């Protein structure tokens, strides 16, 4: 075989593999994970997460996952039941760090957000999240699990953009 034929075959095989991978990823219905995502947020923060829209995936070297109509409940005793309402949430991640169980977020965009920040009479902010069952005043460790653990570390976020949004602050 000539070198040119070998190169053409290798390129065709690579293109076929990439097309197959993209096809498999595009066939995944990320909406089926809404209950698991809401349960994970509830477990970590003690707050209810509501996802009203459908997940949309943008394929690239830094894929973007977008969803509309997202809300996070407020702390108990807050002035209104919802702390954050989002018209749209976009999260763009890098692929390569995922191979080493690291999440690197290039960009988070909050579009059309209505964010309420408030404190209670004791000065505790509603932005302080506490997992259910945790005692007040304790903090959870944000370090990665010991070697041998299968968990992932907290994500590294480069940019957060808040567009066409309102932030309200109430001092309790």
């Amino acid at each position: 075989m000539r070198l040119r034929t070998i190169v053409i075959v290798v390129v065709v095989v690579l293109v076929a593999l990439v097309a197959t991978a993209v096809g498999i990823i595009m066939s995944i219905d990320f909406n089926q994970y809404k209950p698991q995502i809401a349960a994970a947020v509830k477990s970590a923060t003690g707050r209810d997460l509501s996802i009203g829209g459908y997940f949309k995936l943008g394929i690239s070297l830094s894929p973007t996952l977008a969803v509309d109509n997202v809300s996070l409940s407020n702390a108990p005793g807050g002035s209104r039941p919802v702390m954050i309402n989002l018209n749209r949430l976009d999260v763009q991640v890098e692929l390569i760090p995922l191979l080493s169980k690291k999440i690197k977020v290039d960009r988070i965009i909050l579009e059309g957000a209505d964010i309420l920040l408030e404190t209670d009479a004791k000065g505790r902010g509603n932005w302080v999240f506490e997992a259910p069952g945790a005692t007040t005043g304790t903090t959870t460790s944000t370090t990665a699990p010991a070697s041998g653990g299968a968990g992932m570390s907290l994500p590294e976020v480069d940019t957060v953009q808040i567009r066409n949004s309102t932030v309200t602050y109430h001092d309790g």
Side-chain angles (χ1 to χ4, degrees):
M1 268 193 198
R2 294 184 350 204
L3 181 60
R4 178 179 170 185
T5 306
I6 293 172
V7 170
I8 290 173
V9 168
V10 168
V11 168
V12 168
V13 168
L14 287 175
V15 168
L17 286 173
V18 169
T20 301
V22 168
I24 290 170
I25 291 170
M26 293 301 289
S27 70
I28 295 172
D29 180 15
F30 292 99
N31 295 297
Q32 69 181 334
Y33 299 110
K34 285 181 185 181
Q36 290 93 330
I37 294 167
V41 169
K42 177 79 170 185
S43 173
T45 67
R47 310 280 179 88
D48 293 320
L49 178 73
S50 172
I51 304 170
Y54 293 102
F55 286 105
K56 298 166 203 89
L57 180 65
I59 298 291
S60 70
L61 293 177
S62 293
T64 302
L65 191 61
V67 65
D68 297 329
N69 194 16
V70 178
S71 64
L72 182 68
S73 67
N74 201 357
S79 64
R80 68 179 191 206
V82 176
M83 176 183 171
I84 301 172
N85 268 321
L86 301 173
N87 288 343
R88 183 174 176 90
L89 170 66
D90 290 357
V91 179
Q92 183 180 37
V93 298
E94 289 186 14
L95 292 178
I96 301 300
L98 291 175
L99 298 175
S100 59
K101 295 186 178 180
K102 294 180 183 173
I103 300 174
K104 185 164 186 324
V105 178
D106 281 336
R107 183 177 65 205
I108 296 175
I109 300 173
L110 310 175
E111 181 80 36
D114 180 10
I115 303 169
L116 172 66
L117 302 175
E118 62 184 344
T119 58
D120 60 15
K122 296 179 182 176
R124 182 175 172 91
N126 67 340
W127 57 88
V128 178
F129 298 100
E130 193 169 286
T135 57
T136 305
T138 61
T139 58
T140 35
S141 172
T142 58
T143 58
S147 62
M152 295 179 82
S153 62
L154 289 175
E156 176 185 328
V157 178
D158 282 341
T159 305
V160 176
Q161 296 177 357
I162 302 175
R163 300 177 181 166
N164 303 320
S165 300
T166 303
V167 177
T168 306
Y169 176 75
H170 290 157
D171 187 0

